[in-house]
């Protein structure tokens, strides 16, 4: 629990948190829930003295991205990037308090506490937008880090292609898809709620400014994740092009071998036939050397000359 505006952090029980929520003028409460949900457990909102009927989802495991108003309280289920996983943090904000809940260790506690002491927001709603901005920042950092990895892999594979690169590129493409799939539904529901509130005449100007800053940041983060997706697709396409180029080179070499040895195979097969002309007329050693060796050398020289005069030979020389 953080008492505002002093920024004093203390650890309290559920009963003490419930009492402070009812009396303190400005309170930030972070609730750490067990990793495994207890069956038939009393809703967290009820234990904290909040409206349990409309906020039964608060703290419940497996909730999807959410943004909604419940009377004078706004609630969110916010996705956050933690290491290689996407975790969800629940947040409730009223005029006097901000309550966040999460399963297991807090992933944003240190960053949020630092921002609170530096910026000292004047109310719970400003603190809520600070939390939402920090959650967006985790997606931005993850997208930028993955994008740099994709670009490094793309540079490496043009220098030397290795089999492990395709596995890493596939994982990074999957990473981009997970980030985008987690972020887009959340931004859509938040955009709807913020747009409705900004259309209201009683929505304060300072909160409109906070909402607009969040919307700009959200669009930039979404653009970062889409850039990561495009870069991953481009790198995979480049990898496929490199493989296709290598396969074309192999096919060209096989074509050259075929051009050289097919005439030789024909001559060998022809003179290996057992018919009267070959057995009776072509008996001398001179004829053997002229036909068996000289003719094959002539065919080889002719084949090399034809290859040298065509583009295939020059293309292979340039690739090497």
């Amino acid at each position: 629990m953080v008492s505002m505006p002093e920024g004093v952090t203390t650890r309290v029980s559920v009963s003490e948190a419930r009492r402070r929520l009812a009396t303190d003028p400005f309170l930030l409460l972070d609730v750490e829930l067990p990793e495994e949900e207890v069956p038939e457990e009393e809703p967290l909102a009820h234990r904290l003295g909040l409206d349990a009927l409309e906020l039964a989802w608060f703290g419940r495991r497996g909730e999807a991205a959410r943004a909604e108003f419940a009377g004078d309280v706004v609630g969110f289920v916010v996705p956050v990037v933690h290491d290689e996983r996407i975790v969800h943090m629940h947040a409730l904000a009223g005029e006097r308090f901000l309550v966040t809940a999460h399963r297991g260790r807090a992933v944003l506690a240190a960053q949020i506490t630092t921002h609170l002491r530096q910026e000292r927001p004047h109310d719970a709603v400003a603190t809520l937008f600070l939390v939402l901005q920090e959650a967006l920042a985790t997606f931005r950092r993850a997208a930028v880090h993955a994008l740099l990895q994709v670009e490094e892999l793309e540079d490496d594979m043009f220098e030397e292609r290795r089999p492990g690169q395709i596995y890493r590129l596939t994982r990074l493409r999957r990473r981009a898809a997970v980030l985008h799939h987690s972020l887009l539904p959340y931004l859509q529901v938040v955009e709807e709620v913020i747009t409705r509130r900004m259309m209201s005449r009683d929505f304060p100007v300072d909160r409109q400014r906070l909402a607009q800053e969040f919307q700009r940041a959200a669009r930039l983060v979404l653009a970062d994740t889409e850039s990561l997706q495009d870069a991953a697709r481009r790198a995979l396409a480049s990898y496929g092009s490199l493989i296709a180029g290598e396969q074309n080179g192999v096919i060209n070499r096989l074509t050259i071998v075929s051009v050289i040895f097919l005439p030789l195979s024909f001559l060998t097969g022809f003179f290996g036939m057992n018919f009267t002309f070959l057995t009776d007329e072509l008996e001398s050693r001179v004829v053997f050397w002229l036909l068996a060796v000289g003719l094959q050398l002539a065919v080889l020289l002719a084949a090399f000359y034809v290859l040298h005069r065509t583009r295939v030979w020059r293309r292979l020389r340039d690739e090497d």
Side-chain angles (χ1 to χ4, degrees):
M1 181 185 69
V2 181
S3 298
M4 297 300 295
E6 298 85 1
V8 178
T9 303
T10 55
R11 191 175 185 88
V12 298
S13 63
V14 175
S15 59
E16 178 64 14
R18 179 169 182 164
R19 185 188 67 81
R20 296 286 296 272
L21 281 173
T23 59
D24 283 22
F26 186 8
L27 184 69
L28 171 59
L29 177 64
D30 183 67
V31 182
E32 183 175 321
L33 300 170
E35 290 284 354
E36 297 297 330
E37 190 171 16
V38 180
E40 300 181 359
E41 186 179 31
E42 186 180 15
L44 178 60
H46 182 70
R47 284 184 283 164
L48 294 175
L50 303 174
D51 189 351
L53 183 60
E54 295 185 4
L55 302 176
W57 57 268
F58 183 67
R60 189 164 55 194
R61 189 181 185 87
E63 285 294 313
R66 179 190 295 263
E68 62 181 30
F69 278 94
D72 57 351
V73 177
V74 61
F76 292 88
V77 177
V78 186
V80 180
V81 181
H82 179 53
D83 295 332
E84 295 295 323
R85 300 182 299 116
I86 304 294
V87 298
H88 287 83
M89 179 180 66
H90 296 201
L92 287 179
E95 293 295 333
R96 298 184 299 102
F97 63 85
L98 170 63
V99 183
T100 59
H102 50 85
R103 296 279 169 181
R105 186 173 63 87
V107 295
L108 296 179
Q111 298 93 322
I112 293 174
T113 302
T114 301
H115 287 313
L116 289 175
R117 290 171 179 169
Q118 292 175 349
E119 301 182 19
R120 295 191 175 274
H122 57 278
D123 61 8
V125 176
T127 308
L128 171 65
F129 277 105
L130 189 150
V131 173
L132 298 181
Q133 290 276 15
E134 186 58 36
L136 279 180
T138 63
F139 278 89
R140 180 185 294 112
R141 288 191 291 267
V144 171
H145 179 67
L147 181 60
L148 292 176
Q149 288 183 301
V150 170
E151 291 176 348
E152 290 176 0
L153 273 174
E154 194 170 13
D155 292 339
D156 291 342
M157 71 186 184
F158 277 108
E159 294 179 0
E160 180 183 1
R161 188 181 64 81
R162 294 184 295 273
Q165 293 167 341
I166 187 64
Y167 174 72
R168 293 179 60 191
L169 283 174
T170 304
R171 289 196 61 183
L172 287 169
R173 182 176 180 179
R174 175 59 182 167
R175 177 71 166 167
V178 170
L179 291 175
H180 190 265
H181 181 74
S182 301
L183 183 63
L184 185 59
Y186 163 69
L187 294 183
Q188 287 177 341
V189 295
V190 174
E191 182 76 16
E192 293 175 2
V193 170
I194 289 178
T195 302
R196 284 202 307 269
R197 288 297 294 168
M198 290 180 65
M199 294 174 62
S200 177
R201 295 181 179 179
D202 59 350
F203 196 58
V205 176
D206 58 338
R207 294 182 183 179
Q208 289 185 14
R209 180 181 55 80
L210 293 173
Q212 290 170 352
E213 290 178 358
F214 174 81
Q215 288 175 318
R216 284 194 294 269
R219 285 191 289 268
L220 291 175
V221 174
L222 186 61
D224 288 338
T225 59
E226 291 173 348
S227 297
L228 173 60
Q229 287 184 305
D230 293 339
R233 295 191 191 101
R234 183 184 65 246
L236 286 171
S238 300
Y239 191 90
S241 298
L242 290 175
I243 293 178
E246 292 177 1
Q247 291 176 343
N248 289 336
V250 172
I251 293 173
N252 289 336
R253 289 177 176 84
L254 291 176
T255 302
I256 291 175
V257 172
S258 299
V259 169
I260 293 173
F261 283 97
L262 279 177
L264 300 181
S265 300
F266 170 76
L267 291 175
T268 303
F270 179 79
F271 287 103
M273 295 180 183
N274 188 17
F275 55 91
T276 304
F277 178 78
L278 290 177
T279 57
D280 296 342
E281 301 296 334
L282 305 179
E283 295 181 344
S284 66
R285 182 176 299 177
V286 175
V287 173
F288 169 78
W289 285 108
L290 287 175
L291 295 179
V293 178
L295 189 58
Q296 296 195 30
L297 288 175
V299 171
L300 283 175
L301 292 174
F304 278 122
Y305 176 77
V306 171
L307 290 174
H308 182 72
R309 297 292 295 179
T310 59
R311 297 179 180 179
V312 176
W313 186 273
R314 290 193 294 272
R315 187 184 305 119
L316 290 175
R317 183 181 58 191
D318 294 338
E319 289 177 357
D320 294 336

